[in-house]
Amino acid sequence: MSSSKSGAKGGAIIGGAIGGAIGVKFTHKLYFDPSADQSDTGGYWITDEELRQKLANLIDTEEKIKNASVYSHPLFPYQLTNWKMFHAFIIMETNNWWWSIEKNSECITIQRSKNLESVRDMYQREKRTTGWTSLTKIRNNETTRGGNTTIKELINYIWREDCLNNIYHLHIANCQKFAALVFDRIKSPYNDQVYFDEAADQPRSTTSSCYMSVDKVFSEVQRLSASETFTRLEIYKVSISSWNIPDFFVPDFLAFLFRQISELFSHHHFVIFETDKGTYWSFERLPTRFTIQRARNKDILLKECQRNSRETLLSKSNLEKSDVAVRQNMNAVLGFIWKKDKTDIFYMPVEHCGTIALLIYDQFKRK
């Protein structure tokens, strides 16, 4: 449950709780107040398309979350108990700031302040609602350590989950559901690791790891590909093994079927993008995870995967298709794969690496 003023004083509480019934409409925007404890600053309205880049320009997105808490307060000032009628929001602490993040029937709001009280006790410069008893004060319900999650990774996660396009609903997409989504991500980072090597043709530092979360990959790729634009793309096909089915052992129709299955399972496919800066990116699905590599030497991407020779288990990479690419970058590929409505691609079985490669190829070739 929530309100158009997230439990701020007045009739906005009731209007928001009822939702669109009296005209309140979810804006599909995020409101960011960078200095909630200062009276002379204004906020920013940010769309889904602007979310990651615009916030990155406004804040230090590499700040690590030290801890996070789920807070709640009543929707109505005359409540005697919270029961199920309460607004939930998240408070986060970093080294330099206090942050709040929450959803209501109007928007998603992020506030930042040097003082805890300015984001815990206030929403968009108005006092949050409290009830008549000690049971209906603003209360901390649960706290967790932030681990190594950064503000930017959390923003990437919110974007991937399509939260700004997930219309507010009183029961199934309310403030409590959103708070739980954010808190769970901080409490238990998802094990959706990707192998990402930003310089596959250079010696690797012994202190660096190529295994990272999807949200971390988004940050790294955004940093590296911002000034690079695709010029060409290619699909490569690599033989893994040959399954020769003797025709005389099985009927003709079964032999044909086995050959089709053999073709599906005995080849690996991957995509290579060339950019206008003389760099190359490979993107492919392996048995345990997706692998993304970047290099200035294209031959390395053809010969090696995760610093191992492709010819150890595979044969020589063969070019299957080549075309002019759309004027986008690897950041757009990640969005195509990991944005909420495309997660079915991410979870495709590894044997469908050819399908995944073809989907990416068709999406990013110039029409």
Side-chain angles (χ1 to χ4, degrees):
M1 295 227 168
S2 187
S3 73
S4 62
K5 268 295 182 181
S6 188
K9 289 183 176 180
I13 301 170
I14 300 174
I18 296 174
I22 60 172
V24 176
K25 184 178 180 182
F26 192 65
T27 61
H28 299 279
K29 292 182 180 181
L30 181 143
Y31 179 78
F32 174 55
D33 188 340
S35 301
D37 51 346
Q38 298 180 19
S39 59
D40 59 345
T41 60
Y44 300 86
W45 287 97
I46 301 171
T47 65
D48 182 69
E49 292 76 16
E50 300 170 330
L51 181 59
R52 292 178 299 144
Q53 187 59 54
K54 193 165 183 177
L55 273 180
N57 293 334
L58 294 171
I59 61 178
D60 177 7
T61 52
E62 297 307 316
E63 281 194 85
K64 290 186 177 181
I65 299 169
K66 294 171 62 177
N67 54 69
S69 301
V70 181
Y71 276 80
S72 64
H73 63 75
L75 289 177
F76 309 104
Y78 50 80
Q79 284 181 227
L80 298 177
T81 178
N82 275 358
W83 192 51
K84 293 184 179 180
M85 299 290 289
F86 64 88
H87 174 70
F89 60 103
I90 302 296
I91 294 289
M92 301 176 294
E93 181 186 7
T94 63
N95 283 336
N96 299 316
W97 300 94
W98 290 96
W99 306 71
S100 68
I101 181 168
E102 55 205 287
K103 177 179 181 177
N104 61 27
S105 57
E106 179 187 20
C107 64
I108 291 173
T109 295
I110 295 179
Q111 302 179 126
R112 187 181 68 172
S113 170
K114 294 291 185 181
N115 303 313
L116 170 61
E117 295 78 10
S118 297
V119 294
R120 183 195 62 193
D121 302 342
M122 307 287 287
Y123 173 80
Q124 294 191 12
R125 311 302 177 97
E126 295 186 23
K127 288 186 177 181
R128 298 185 186 272
T129 301
T130 55
W132 289 351
T133 72
S134 60
L135 297 176
T136 54
K137 301 297 183 183
I138 299 171
R139 57 193 299 179
N140 182 341
N141 298 287
E142 185 178 358
T143 297
T144 185
R145 295 176 63 87
N148 290 318
T149 302
T150 65
I151 293 294
K152 189 165 189 175
E153 288 171 29
L154 185 62
I155 292 168
N156 287 341
Y157 178 71
I158 290 169
W159 180 83
R160 285 202 297 120
E161 289 295 306
D162 218 22
C163 292
L164 286 177
N165 291 321
N166 187 14
I167 297 174
Y168 178 89
H169 188 281
L170 190 61
H171 299 295
I172 62 175
N174 57 30
C175 64
Q176 297 172 22
K177 301 287 187 182
F178 179 75
L181 178 80
V182 173
F183 187 79
D184 288 347
R185 176 62 180 84
I186 298 170
K187 183 178 180 180
S188 303
Y190 296 163
N191 189 27
D192 48 359
Q193 286 199 327
V194 176
Y195 180 95
F196 173 57
D197 192 340
E198 66 176 75
D201 53 349
Q202 300 296 321
R204 185 196 301 171
S205 168
T206 56
T207 59
S208 63
S209 173
C210 290
Y211 296 96
M212 57 190 74
S213 71
V214 172
D215 300 314
K216 176 73 171 176
V217 169
F218 264 99
S219 298
E220 296 301 309
V221 168
Q222 189 175 23
R223 171 179 60 86
L224 290 164
S225 70
S227 62
E228 300 179 353
T229 302
F230 293 152
T231 56
R232 294 198 67 81
L233 77 165
E234 302 168 332
I235 287 185
Y236 284 85
K237 179 179 179 180
V238 188
S239 294
I240 299 175
S241 61
S242 178
W243 294 6
N244 295 314
I245 308 297
D247 288 357
F248 58 84
F249 283 145
V250 294
D252 288 345
F253 77 93
L254 284 180
F256 174 78
L257 178 61
F258 286 146
R259 289 195 188 95
Q260 296 302 308
I261 295 174
S262 171
E263 177 72 13
L264 179 64
F265 283 88
S266 62
H267 291 87
H268 175 68
H269 296 76
F270 60 97
V271 184
I272 287 186
F273 294 89
E274 181 180 356
T275 77
D276 60 348
K277 301 299 182 182
T279 58
Y280 298 87
W281 295 75
S282 66
F283 192 102
E284 55 198 297
R285 174 67 188 273
L286 294 180
T288 55
R289 59 182 55 85
F290 276 91
T291 293
I292 304 169
Q293 301 176 117
R294 177 178 177 268
R296 290 196 172 274
N297 184 349
K298 178 182 174 182
D299 285 343
I300 290 295
L301 303 184
L302 295 177
K303 295 177 180 178
E304 294 184 2
C305 179
Q306 296 187 9
R307 305 275 173 157
N308 294 311
S309 172
R310 293 187 185 275
E311 295 185 7
T312 301
L313 295 176
L314 312 177
S315 64
K316 182 180 178 181
S317 301
N318 296 306
L319 178 64
E320 196 168 67
K321 287 186 178 184
S322 178
D323 214 322
V324 177
V326 296
R327 295 187 60 80
Q328 296 192 51
N329 57 35
M330 183 54 67
N331 200 45
V333 178
L334 299 194
F336 176 67
I337 293 294
W338 276 288
K339 189 68 168 174
K340 186 175 182 179
D341 57 354
K342 293 293 192 303
T343 51
D344 55 327
I345 297 175
F346 176 74
Y347 291 110
M348 274 186 178
V350 66
E351 58 265 25
H352 294 292
C353 64
T355 303
I356 296 170
L358 186 59
L359 285 169
I360 293 173
Y361 184 90
D362 288 343
Q363 177 70 18
F364 291 95
K365 72 177 181 181
R366 185 173 295 177
K367 305 297 190 288

